[in-house]
Amino acid sequence: IKEAEADHGAKVRMVVIDTLSRAIAGGNENSPDDMGALVKHLDAIRVATGAHVLVVHHSGKDKAKGARGHSLLRAATDTEIEIDNGVASITKQRDMEFGEPIPFDLEVVALGETPDGEDVTSCVCVPVLASAVEDFGCSPARANVLLDALKEAVASKEGRPVTWNYWR
């Protein structure tokens, strides 16, 4: 992370671990020892870098039971956001108010081409129209807090302004 910061001349503001299962490879998600060690290492990354640490994790077969694995993971989590059916909803928030659910769509974007000339694509989240936001009971101002944070993070990483198409 420090090397990436030096190479790009910008501070890393968020570290994404995708997925918890890959990060704990060989470990047991249900073990307090293994999950505790993972949480300790995630904390070490956060302290050493000053960056936010976001961990992508999956629910079990019964989504009502929440994330898989030992309960100490949820206890150590500051903010838990569940993504389901095109809506991001906060399911745990330690020190702040819960925000409104944020509905979104995925849009395919071109990243470039492979050496063989094949398109390389990915997806970005884009907010749904304000009328649909109202249907979900979500305030556009609330949704824009997250979008503004993403805009700032991308702009600082790229060293250039980023244009977003969303409501104000």
Side-chain angles (χ1 to χ4, degrees), residues 114-141:
T114 66
D116 297 333
E118 296 180 28
D119 289 337
V120 176
T121 61
S122 188
C123 290
V124 295
C125 296
V126 294
V128 298
L129 298 174
S131 61
V133 170
E134 291 168 7
D135 291 342
F136 281 95
C138 177
S139 145

Side-chain angles (χ1 to χ4, degrees), residues 8 24 29 33 62 72 78 100 102 122 128 134 162:
H8 296 282
I24 201 171
E29 290 179 358
D33 294 337
D62 181 356
L72 74 79
D78 292 327
E100 300 293 329
I102 303 171
S122 188
V128 298
E134 291 168 7
V162 176

Side-chain angles (χ1 to χ4, degrees), residues 38-80:
L38 177 70
V39 168
K40 178 182 170 185
H41 291 298
L42 296 173
D43 280 342
I45 292 169
R46 179 181 50 79
V47 169
T49 65
H52 296 281
V53 177
L54 182 148
V55 179
V56 177
H57 190 39
H58 299 281
S59 63
K61 292 178 183 176
D62 181 356
K63 290 192 306 187
K65 291 182 179 179
R68 299 185 319 223
H70 195 272
S71 61
L72 74 79
L73 177 65
R74 188 155 203 272
T77 299
D78 292 327
T79 303
E80 182 180 73

